[in-house]
Amino acid sequence: MSLIFGIETSCDETACAIVRDGREVLASAVATQIAKHAAHGGVVPELAAREHLEALDVVAEEAFRTAGVGPESIDAVAVTNGPGLMPALLVGVSYAKGLAVNWGRPLIGCNHFMAHIYGAFLHDDGYLLLTRKETYPILALVVSGGHSSLVLIEEDGKATHLGCTIDDAAGEALDKGSKLLGLGYPGGPAIQKAAAGGDVKRYHFPRPLTGTAGKALALEHQYNFSFSGVKTALLYQVREARETNADTKSDFIRDISASYQEAIVDVLSRKAIKAARDFNAHTVVVAGGVACNGELRRRMQQLIPPSMLLRLAEPRFCTDNAAMVGGLGYYYFRDGVFSPLSLDAFARLPKISRVPFAAVAQ
Ligand code: KG4
Ligand code: ZN
């Protein structure tokens, strides 16, 4: 049995977790800084770093208390070392180094994007699924504040990026859209709430890179996303509404939020299902903060072909958390792949080309 202590500080969540053998989350403690950043309408990196510094000890203690184990039981320290906000990452990485030295345990650097994908396998029989050949290929839709990507994972662990956003990420489009509508930060949950019961067809929004604008979709973009045009369309609709003042405010906000959210959900779900069909995926994964979205979850359930298994990450493992880091870190620990104490943090990292958790690879 191995217990991995996971640490996540890449953005505005300070998180520590204790995960057994990549499959059982004994504790997943998260302290969110949302209230601190909300006043600025988005995450301020230096502020995030200071908050992480203050919160880490408390969050780590909470993880130990919940798990009911002490530091002596920990076998390795896994930490997100990129991609993310540099000042924020540096705090987590430095903290992890301190713990690793102090506890005399190996240090393991983890890729945040890859950890999000693993987050979809932390509940129920996820770990077992990964050991079965029939689970592969896996098509993963990773949608967060920083990413909107489609990745194909094969049974030997090979990962291929099929596409990504060419401008804004889905979460970024929701966050910026929410700001425009005066709904606050983070935008995803705010828009979801405002959109409840709204008319999704009332306002028209484009569906970029889906080949529906009357011209054929370039092959190079078939698995790419683009959301900045949707955001610009929102800006124009808001301006127009302000000028004409034709609608009552609450109806306008509800229907425009619903139509805007629908445009994003429609593109994400249709492209993910198309990619899954094109590559004969056996499993479709939806992970990252935007995977919390109720409408996206419903749509994926509606569209998933009966021959494919849908793995929606549990909401608590969608937004940033350390359980996904402790879970992913287990595989590196099992394989004896450790990071040196000189481990660096990276705002950006090359696209992933291999995952350690495709267990059939062994
Ligand atoms: O994965 P995450 O916590 O951080 C990054 O790695 O970026 O994702 C944060 C993003 C934010 O853009 C937030 O608005 C979005 O996830 N999000 C949602 C929902 N909850 C969080 N988007 C849509 N619907 C939600 N319920
Ligand atoms: Zn994230």
Side-chain angles (χ1 to χ4, degrees):
M1 184 188 85
S2 326
L3 288 188
I4 311 295
F5 191 82
I7 301 170
E8 158 62 45
T9 66
S10 69
C11 193
D12 59 349
E13 248 82 48
T14 312
C16 293
I18 298 171
V19 185
R20 183 183 69 84
D21 296 335
R23 66 187 96 167
E24 192 191 345
V25 181
L26 302 186
S28 176
V30 183
T32 182
Q33 307 173 358
I34 284 173
K36 293 268 159 58
H37 298 281
H40 305 273
V43 182
V44 182
E46 279 74 16
L47 179 59
R50 279 168 207 264
E51 293 293 321
H52 286 314
L53 203 54
E54 214 157 279
L56 267 168
D57 266 345
V58 182
V59 177
E61 268 169 35
E62 188 191 329
F64 279 117
R65 222 179 16 253
T66 308
V69 299
E72 67 288 346
S73 314
I74 300 296
D75 293 288
V77 180
V79 62
T80 298
N81 71 319
L85 303 173
M86 203 57 181
L89 286 165
L90 280 169
V91 176
V93 169
S94 307
Y95 191 76
K97 287 178 184 176
L99 293 185
V101 170
N102 208 1
W103 298 344
R105 296 289 186 257
L107 177 72
I108 298 167
C110 286
N111 179 308
H112 183 76
F113 178 87
M114 198 192 290
H116 266 306
I117 299 177
Y118 192 72
F121 292 95
L122 279 173
H123 65 276
D124 299 339
D125 55 354
Y127 176 88
L128 271 180
L129 273 178
L130 288 168
T131 65
R132 295 188 192 128
K133 237 175 146 62
E134 312 82 77
T135 303
Y136 303 86
I138 297 170
L139 184 281
L141 169 67
V142 185
V143 269
S144 66
H147 305 276
S148 296
S149 299
L150 289 168
V151 183
L152 191 74
I153 297 167
E154 290 164 72
E155 63 177 69
D156 61 356
K158 184 172 172 237
T160 311
H161 267 258
L162 303 177
C164 60
T165 179
I166 58 169
D167 40 56
D168 290 352
E172 199 178 349
L174 288 164
D175 291 339
K176 289 177 177 169
S178 175
K179 200 170 175 180
L180 237 150
L181 292 168
L183 296 173
Y185 178 84
I191 287 190
Q192 177 175 331
K193 192 162 167 233
D199 180 355
V200 297
K201 294 205 174 96
R202 173 117 182 245
Y203 296 95
H204 173 75
F205 285 99
R207 307 290 198 261
L209 306 186
T210 55
T212 50
K215 53 180 185 199
L217 174 63
L219 222 53
E220 65 191 280
H221 286 317
Q222 56 178 329
Y223 308 120
N224 281 344
F225 298 101
S226 166
F227 293 111
S228 83
V230 189
K231 186 189 64 195
T232 309
L234 177 67
L235 177 68
Y236 288 136
Q237 308 255 26
V238 169
R239 268 194 202 151
E240 199 183 304
R242 275 201 197 120
E243 276 159 22
T244 56
N245 209 6
D247 210 337
T248 68
K249 200 167 186 265
S250 63
D251 279 359
F252 171 71
I253 294 288
R254 188 196 58 214
D255 291 344
I256 200 146
S257 297
S259 305
Y260 186 66
Q261 175 179 259
E262 171 63 21
I264 293 171
V265 165
D266 184 35
V267 172
L268 290 174
S269 55
R270 274 201 283 146
K271 287 219 167 202
I273 297 291
K274 178 180 170 7
R277 284 190 197 278
D278 290 353
F279 290 89
N280 276 325
H282 286 183
T283 307
V284 176
V285 158
V286 189
V290 181
C292 277
N293 187 269
E295 208 41 56
L296 177 62
R297 297 173 84 87
R298 259 193 300 281
R299 193 65 49 84
M300 290 302 293
Q301 276 158 348
Q302 277 165 8
L303 296 182
I304 191 88
S307 61
M308 294 181 200
L309 175 73
L310 179 63
R311 287 290 297 187
L312 300 170
E314 265 191 5
R316 67 188 177 126
F317 301 136
C318 286
T319 43
D320 288 347
N321 65 89
M324 64 186 192
V325 181
L328 174 62
Y330 162 73
Y331 294 87
Y332 294 114
F333 178 75
R334 180 197 66 184
D335 298 344
V337 179
F338 305 135
S339 304
L341 279 176
S342 57
L343 176 73
D344 212 344
F346 300 93
R348 291 172 179 277
L349 280 171
K351 290 180 166 50
I352 59 166
S353 56
R354 184 154 290 282
V355 300
F357 52 78
V360 202
Q362 298 309 301

